[in-house]
Amino acid sequence: MTLRQDTDRAYNVRETVSVPVFEEAMRRYRAWSESAVDGLRGHPGLVYDPAGGERLDIWGVGDRPRPVFVFVHGGYWRALSRADSAFMARMLDERGIATVVVDYTLAPHATLEEIVRQVRAAVAFVHHEGARHG
């Protein structure tokens, strides 16, 4: 096995468990997020990067600006989305904190440099536009 193949395998979480185990874990992960945002005030699907059309969700908004927790999902840059990754939103809302969950273009459809650019654009959006969204 080449170094590249070994590295690719090490960064592919799907290789560590069977397909049914992985699919069940992903189903639970998404269900936790759906439950966490059910009935929570927010602004899902805001476009933060007009160049790429990427979106973010803001959950747990108040009547005035709140502190914010920005969550950039994992998935080795290859998997998951903002819809899978809002499981902390209700707990943070109960503590007076808004949650922003960021999507970005997944590899290999984007380079790591482009993913970093998109995440920086999301943070800039929150800094400049967050107060407007509670």
Side-chain angles (χ1 to χ4, degrees):
M1 185 174 287
T2 68
L3 178 60
R4 172 63 188 245
Q5 290 169 323
D6 194 40
T7 301
D8 285 348
R9 186 167 178 255
Y11 279 89
N12 186 348
V13 71
R14 290 182 176 129
E15 292 289 319
T16 64
V17 295
S18 69
V19 170
V21 168
F22 182 81
E23 289 175 354
E24 175 59 19
M26 292 297 94
R27 187 198 61 72
R28 282 193 322 257
Y29 198 67
R30 168 106 20 142
W32 291 333
S33 291
E34 290 172 352
S35 176
V37 301
D38 185 34
L40 204 59
R41 287 177 58 188
H43 303 285
L46 295 174
V47 175
Y48 71 82
D49 182 30
E54 292 300 327
R55 297 174 183 270
L56 56 77
D57 296 339
I58 302 175
W59 296 110
V61 300
D63 294 327
R64 54 184 165 204
R66 306 172 105 184
V68 64
F69 176 78
V70 177
F71 187 81
V72 180
H73 68 80
Y76 299 95
W77 310 290
R78 298 175 184 211
L80 301 178
S81 72
R82 70 185 198 277
D84 300 312
S85 305
F87 49 85
M88 77 297 291
R90 185 164 307 278
M91 179 271 301
L92 290 171
D93 175 61
E94 291 167 356
R95 289 159 179 80
I97 302 168
T99 300
V100 172
V101 187
V102 179
D103 255 348
Y104 52 84
T105 304
L106 300 175
H109 303 292
T111 64
L112 187 53
E113 290 81 7
E114 174 59 11
I115 293 169
V116 169
R117 185 201 67 75
Q118 290 176 8
V119 171
R120 289 179 66 184
V123 172
F125 177 90
V126 171
H127 176 73
H128 294 291
E129 303 291 333
R132 200 165 60 100
H133 298 289

